[in-house]
């Protein structure tokens, strides 16, 4: 049946992606790291190199398993390079992952190039 699907152009179902990242929430790219073993770090590093975004957006196709989204947020907080938004997580949890107050996190989202420098690993 697979060959017939290819010949007829029948769309195949695709497995859910547990991490999408990007600098624009409307144009996220999938990350192939279903177990969260480090592919997310490579994808984030590539995004930072290529796009140099002010804000990184993270999302999962499976809102019941946001473990790789959390790992990616933790990685971003360690490198302290960017503001990250993960709308599927409570905003206070994201702020806590970055080690900042909710007010500081909101200010950083509103003005990612603003004066706040204490987000994540920054000092």
């Amino acid at each position: 049946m697979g060959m017939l699907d290819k010949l007829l152009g029948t769309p195949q179902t695709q497995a859910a992606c547990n991490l999408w990242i990007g600098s624009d929430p409307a144009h996220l790219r999938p990350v192939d790291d279903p177990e969260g073993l480090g592919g997310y770090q490579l994808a984030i590093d590539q995004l930072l190199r290529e796009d140099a975004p002010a804000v990184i957006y993270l999302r999962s196709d499976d809102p019941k398993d946001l473990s790789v989204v959390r790992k990616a947020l933790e990685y971003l907080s360690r490198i302290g390079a960017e503001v990250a938004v993960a709308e599927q997580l409570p905003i206070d949890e994201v702020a806590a992952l970055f080690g900042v107050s909710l007010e500081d996190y909101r200010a950083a989202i509103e003005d990612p190039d603003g004066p706040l420098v204490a987000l994540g690993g920054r000092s």
Side-chain angles (χ1 to χ4, degrees):
M1 195 74 168
M3 180 66 93
L4 183 58
D5 288 340
K6 287 181 183 178
L7 291 173
L8 296 175
T10 306
Q12 298 178 1
T13 59
Q14 190 175 27
C17 181
N18 63 355
L19 181 64
W20 292 79
I21 64 170
S23 56
D24 177 355
H27 298 95
L28 302 177
R29 53 181 113 159
V31 176
D32 185 21
D33 191 7
E35 302 299 320
L37 299 177
Y40 66 92
Q41 293 174 355
L42 297 173
I44 288 170
D45 292 343
Q46 180 181 7
L47 179 67
L48 292 173
R49 267 190 326 273
E50 292 177 0
D51 294 358
V55 177
I56 294 179
Y57 296 88
L58 304 113
R59 180 164 193 75
S60 173
D61 284 342
D62 183 2
K64 293 179 183 174
D65 180 13
L66 299 173
S67 60
V68 181
V69 171
R70 285 184 178 92
K71 285 182 180 186
L73 286 169
E74 289 168 359
Y75 178 67
L76 284 164
S77 76
R78 283 194 309 271
I79 63 175
E82 303 297 325
V83 176
V85 174
E87 293 178 357
Q88 293 169 304
L89 291 172
I91 191 169
D92 57 332
E93 181 180 344
V94 178
L97 283 168
F98 278 96
V100 298
S101 71
L102 187 56
E103 294 77 24
D104 286 344
Y105 178 69
R106 284 185 175 138
I109 291 172
E110 288 177 23
D111 186 8
D113 296 321
L116 181 66
V117 294
L119 195 61
R122 298 181 199 182
S123 54

